[in-house]
Every structure is written in structure tokens, then in C-alpha cells.
Amino acid sequence: MAIIEDLLPLLDCTEEERQVIKRIVYAAGDPQVASLVRFHSKAVSVGIAAIRQGKPIFTDVRMVVVGINHHLARKFGCPIHCAFDGTEVMRQAQEKNTTRSAAAVRSLGMRLNGAIVAIGNAPTALFTLLDLIGSRGVQPALVVGTPVGFVQAKESKAELMERDIPYITIEGTRGGSAAAVATVNALLNLARKVRK
């Protein structure tokens, strides 16, 4: 972390946001990603509060579930769920002619209220979440949206940043499951430090 601190560019961010950025840079192995990380003004404080209240953490893929610090999450009473764990996901995807990721997120519906939602892989999962927020009034506490790639990842994150919901994201095509994991783990560590 000391090496990363020396490599970071000048950033207009809070100290807590800087801690999140450092974790993302560590996971990416690329200090240039630091200047692309974007925060809603309430993202870190809302994320820490949700963790301290034991709210659930939902992810789009198992890779994110596996990377999250389960020991710390358990200390706060935060259950961790993967959207793909539902048995009906494949059938719903086929019926609605959509991706499994989109169907998985849609199947969670109101269970996402008050939760931290970490999407590290699929832009369709993030677009579906944004649709649920807009059309069905779903209200997650925080959206960690870091889908990666060249097909709609940039666009899904741009739409996330236009919404007035707490979010942490990486502008452009960079991101991925490791970035989502790093973000959630950074918040868990921050929650532990402020715990009274």
C-alpha cells in the first residue's frame, strides 16, 4: 500500500475514498485506474452504514462472492448472496430472451432494498438493476458497478453515474470482478475502523 500511495496521481477525494481507490489500484495492478474511479458524494458513508447495520451484499457472479472477506462480513452480520444462486435463472433468461445475469438480478427484486449490490462482470446486470430502480422503485443502499469490457460496460456505468443513487464505479471500459471485490473489502475495512 505504501508503494501504491507513492504512485497515485493527485486526487480530489476524501481520505476514505482514497482508501477505496488504493484497494482498487492494488487489485488492478495499475495506478492509472485511480483517476477513473468515481464516487457518489454519499457512497462511502452509506456503504459503511449499511455494513454496520448488517445489510446483505448481493453480487452478480460467484467470483465476487468468493473474493469478499467473509470473516469481516460475518462480524457485521452481512449475508453475502450471488444472484446466480436462484434455480429459476436459466429458465427466466430463456423465457425473456435475455442474459442470465440480467435475469438473475431481476429475480432478486425488492430483496435488493437497503442492500449493497456489487456488479463486477456483466453490464446487462447493471442495466437491469438500473431498470429495477427506475421502474419498480428498488432502492439499494449502494451500487458498486464495475462491469468490464467493450460491450456496454462503459455505457452501463455512464448511466449509473447519471442516477441520484449512491454508487462507486470506474469510468470507461476498465473494471471487473476484482475491482468490485476490492471496493467491498475496502468498505468492510473502513467499517471496522469506525466501529464503536
Side-chain angles (χ1 to χ4, degrees), residues 104-113 132 136 138:
V105 170
R106 189 166 299 284
S107 72
L108 294 172
M110 294 300 177
R111 292 174 62 199
L112 299 172
N113 284 339
L132 289 173
R136 292 180 54 192
V138 171

Side-chain angles (χ1 to χ4, degrees), residues 27-156:
D30 181 5
Q32 292 182 355
V33 78
S35 61
L36 301 173
V37 180
R38 301 287 181 262
F39 297 87
H40 181 279
S41 60
K42 297 179 182 175
V44 173
S45 61
V46 166
I48 290 171
I51 289 167
R52 294 185 68 198
Q53 292 165 17
K55 299 294 185 180
I57 301 168
F58 288 96
T59 75
D60 61 333
V61 291
R62 297 280 321 155
M63 192 181 301
V64 179
V65 171
V66 170
I68 291 173
N69 186 327
H70 286 244
H71 175 72
L72 259 184
R74 274 194 302 273
K75 281 195 166 189
F76 288 104
C78 297
I80 304 170
H81 306 283
C82 178
F84 275 123
D85 289 345
T87 57
E88 295 290 307
V89 168
M90 186 63 108
R91 183 185 61 76
Q92 289 174 7
Q94 290 171 343
E95 283 180 2
K96 301 214 181 269
N97 194 27
T98 188
T99 66
R100 288 187 305 152
S101 297
V105 170
R106 189 166 299 284
S107 72
L108 294 172
M110 294 300 177
R111 292 174 62 199
L112 299 172
N113 284 339
I116 293 173
V117 184
I119 296 175
N121 185 56
T124 55
L126 183 52
F127 273 129
T128 300
L129 176 61
L130 294 173
D131 180 59
L132 289 173
I133 291 168
S135 66
R136 292 180 54 192
V138 171
Q139 294 183 324
L142 172 67
V143 177
V144 175
T146 61
V148 63
F150 299 94
V151 181
Q152 297 200 329
K154 178 180 178 180
E155 293 80 1
S156 67

Side-chain angles (χ1 to χ4, degrees), residues 146-169:
T146 61
V148 63
F150 299 94
V151 181
Q152 297 200 329
K154 178 180 178 180
E155 293 80 1
S156 67
K157 293 182 285 185
E159 185 171 331
L160 172 62
M161 289 185 283
E162 289 175 4
R163 303 292 183 97
D164 187 24
I165 53 174
Y167 66 79
I168 302 173
T169 190

